Structures are given as structure tokens and as C-alpha cells.
Amino acid sequence: MQKLVVLNDEDITRLLPRTDVRAALERMFIALADGRAVQPPQTLSLFPAGGGDFITYPGVLGSDGVFGTKLSPYIPGTNGATVTAWTLLMSMETGKPLLLCDSKRLTTERTAATTAIAADLLASREAKILTIIGTGEIGLAHLRHAASIRPWQEIRLCSPDIANRHGLPVQLESGCPVTTSTYTDTAAAGADVVMLCTSSGTPVIDASRFGAGVLVTSISTNVANAHEIAPDTLNRFDVYCDYRATTPAAAGEMKLAAERGQWSTDRLVGDLPELLSGRATARDTGRPAFFRSIGLGLEDIATASALLSAARS
């Protein structure tokens, strides 16, 4: 009988270079399209007396013979909130635990890889300028994963405290220059792809400024109804997401826009299972596109399964 594998952050850091996270996620999304995986809705559970909350991210990856969940709490404090995450992977054959791992770095990598998959599928083939809003770990992970999806001519990094950030790259290995900016709208002006990689619960950019052909991507945070663009701008975009069955009920801008009658979920053009399996409608490049990722349990399960294989080898 195989023993339970426990991986901490140092273990994850060591194993990630030996793990093709993007390939694992692409296989998972295709399995989801083909009915070989199941993605239940994520759930938000509140702590008593306003003491925080935690999100449960479950998933069943039949193609790998595993199921499990990630638990991610949000714990407010006087010096800022504490956010952690742990993933439990179990066998569909024996029902016994296979892996327990710290998911912080795992979550960062699968979030960025998911965005890179979407951007590769949705961005114009002629895209030359990439802007990344947010220069924390997730923003820099987006840079790593997106660096090779197009022959970029310019990459812009933007955050309010960019002047205090040290060690940011000044160019890619390809020679593409990397510039920095403090103001989001300035950094996004003229960009072909804009990746929003912040922990903000409110809009960080004026999405009404984006014109035809531009792709905007957005991630999620634990803040209730978090959104990085204004809900009333959704109707300007061709909207895509990681999984149409669950994302609209959790993505803040989608929930709020639907409640206010500003947008409807039936206007979703496609999700990643549909895009990767060729079942989504081709993008209309005459309009800007918006891709929203909420972070699926299956993304955690697929990445954890790939890490488990790397650990066993």
C-alpha cells in the first residue's frame, strides 16, 4: 500500500520545475469536456462573528483516478489578512488519502498557467504588447507562463508600489523589453493583452476603454464578490471563463451584473473545456474579449496529481 505523501512549500518549490503544470491542466479541461472529470461548485463558508471565511474547492478527476479538495481560509487581522491553502488528494479506487500538500505555490502556478492557456487560445495571433497589472507572486507567475505564448515586442508590468519592487526583469530571454508603470490605464493603453493579477475586491482598471481585438484576463480573490473590472462593462466584451457551470455563480462582476440586469450568463461565449475541445464558437475579434478565472478545484486536483507523480518518481 502506498503511503500518504505530505508536501510542504519547500517540497512544492523543488518539484515544480519537474512538473508541466500547463499540460496537466490542458488534459484536465479536455477530460472535463469529455465527461471524465466532475467539477462541483465551490462553496464559501463564513466564520462566526465576521472572523473570516474559507472556500472549498472540490473536484473529481476520473482520468487520473483521483478526487479531492482544496481548503483556502481568509482570516482578517490587524496587520492584514492571512490566506493559506491545503489540498487533499484521494484515490477513487481505495478511498484512501494519497497526498496532502501546501497549496499556496501550487495555486499560484495553476492560476497563471490557466490564464496562459486562455490567452494562448483567445489572444490575437498578431498580439505584440502584454500588460500585467499586479507584480506580486501571481503577477510574476503570469509573466513566466505567458512569456512564450506570443513573440512579444513589449511587456509592461504595473502596480502602485512598483518603485519599491526589486529584482523585476528588464527583458525576456528573447530580448523583449520589460517596462514598469504605476498607473494602470497608462500601462494598458495600446496593449493587446491585459492580465489583471491583483487581490483587489474592486475594479483596478477602466474596462470601458478597451477596443476591438484586446483580451483582458482576470483572476479571483477570497474577498466577497471580488471583481477587477466594473460589472456594467461586461456587456462590451465577448466573455469567456474557466468553466461555465460554476464560474458565473462565483465571479463577482458576473454575479453583480446579472443581479442588476446588466449582463446574462447566456451571453458566455465559451469556457476552457469547450475551447480546448473545439466546441466553443470562434472569437469575434471585432470586440474586446474578457476571460475570467475563479480557480477550480479540478485545477488544484490536476496540479496536485502531477506533483504527486513527480514526487513518486
Side-chain angles (χ1 to χ4, degrees):
M1 183 182 70
Q2 292 180 321
K3 293 183 179 180
L4 171 69
V5 176
V6 180
L7 302 176
N8 59 25
D9 186 66
E10 291 181 357
D11 299 323
I12 301 295
T13 302
R14 174 175 53 84
L15 291 170
L16 275 172
R18 297 159 45 192
T19 307
D20 192 335
V21 175
R22 174 169 171 170
L25 292 174
E26 288 178 337
R27 290 193 300 270
M28 177 275 291
F29 282 117
I30 292 172
L32 188 54
D34 294 341
R36 294 177 290 119
V38 178
Q39 178 57 74
Q42 68 182 44
T43 59
L44 174 66
S45 302
L46 302 179
F47 291 168
D53 60 60
F54 74 94
I55 298 178
T56 305
Y57 301 82
V60 183
L61 188 55
S63 56
D64 283 19
V66 296
F67 69 97
T69 190
K70 182 181 78 172
L71 299 178
S72 179
Y74 176 85
I75 306 171
T78 54
N79 296 318
T82 297
V83 179
T84 67
W86 285 79
T87 295
L88 175 65
L89 199 65
M90 300 181 69
S91 168
M92 291 178 63
E93 181 180 353
T94 67
K96 294 182 178 180
L98 301 171
L99 172 71
L100 177 65
C101 69
D102 185 325
S103 297
K104 182 178 180 181
R105 199 169 304 275
L106 178 155
T107 301
T108 296
E109 293 301 316
R110 62 85 162 150
T111 300
T114 297
T115 298
I117 292 170
D120 203 5
L121 291 165
L122 295 173
S124 166
R125 291 291 122 185
E126 289 74 41
K128 295 178 174 61
I129 300 175
L130 167 65
T131 292
I132 297 176
I133 309 295
T135 57
E137 290 186 7
I138 290 182
L140 295 181
H142 275 67
L143 176 60
R144 290 197 304 274
H145 283 274
S148 61
I149 66 172
R150 292 293 184 276
W152 304 111
Q153 294 184 5
E154 181 184 356
I155 291 181
R156 305 167 182 170
L157 302 180
C158 177
S159 63
D161 62 345
I162 197 87
N164 299 321
R165 296 301 308 275
H166 302 291
L168 296 177
V170 296
Q171 69 176 23
L172 302 183
E173 291 183 2
S174 64
C176 172
V178 178
T179 61
T180 60
S181 176
T182 302
Y183 302 104
T184 57
D185 290 328
T186 301
D192 301 295
V193 178
V194 179
M195 295 181 173
L196 306 179
C197 308
T198 77
S199 58
S200 177
T202 55
V204 296
I205 200 163
D206 181 1
S208 66
R209 298 187 178 192
F210 295 113
V214 178
L215 170 67
V216 180
T217 71
S218 176
I219 60 174
S220 194
T221 185
N222 289 45
V223 178
N225 287 329
H227 52 284
E228 295 178 297
I229 69 168
D232 62 2
T233 61
L234 268 188
N235 57 15
R236 300 187 64 254
F237 293 89
D238 285 341
V239 180
Y240 298 81
C241 65
D242 41 9
Y243 189 44
R244 71 163 67 237
T246 59
T247 301
E253 72 286 335
M254 293 184 182
K255 290 172 60 180
L256 295 173
E259 290 170 3
R260 298 167 184 172
Q262 298 165 335
W263 182 79
S264 172
T265 57
D266 59 14
R267 296 185 61 183
L268 271 172
V269 181
D271 62 11
L272 285 181
E274 295 164 346
L275 288 166
L276 286 166
S277 63
R279 299 169 193 173
T281 305
R283 179 188 167 190
D284 176 8
T285 54
R287 288 163 53 88
F290 177 70
F291 172 78
R292 180 62 149 95
S293 170
I294 61 167
L296 304 178
L298 274 171
E299 294 170 12
D300 298 299
I301 299 306
T303 307
S305 181
L307 285 167
L308 178 60
S309 295
R312 286 174 170 170
S313 64

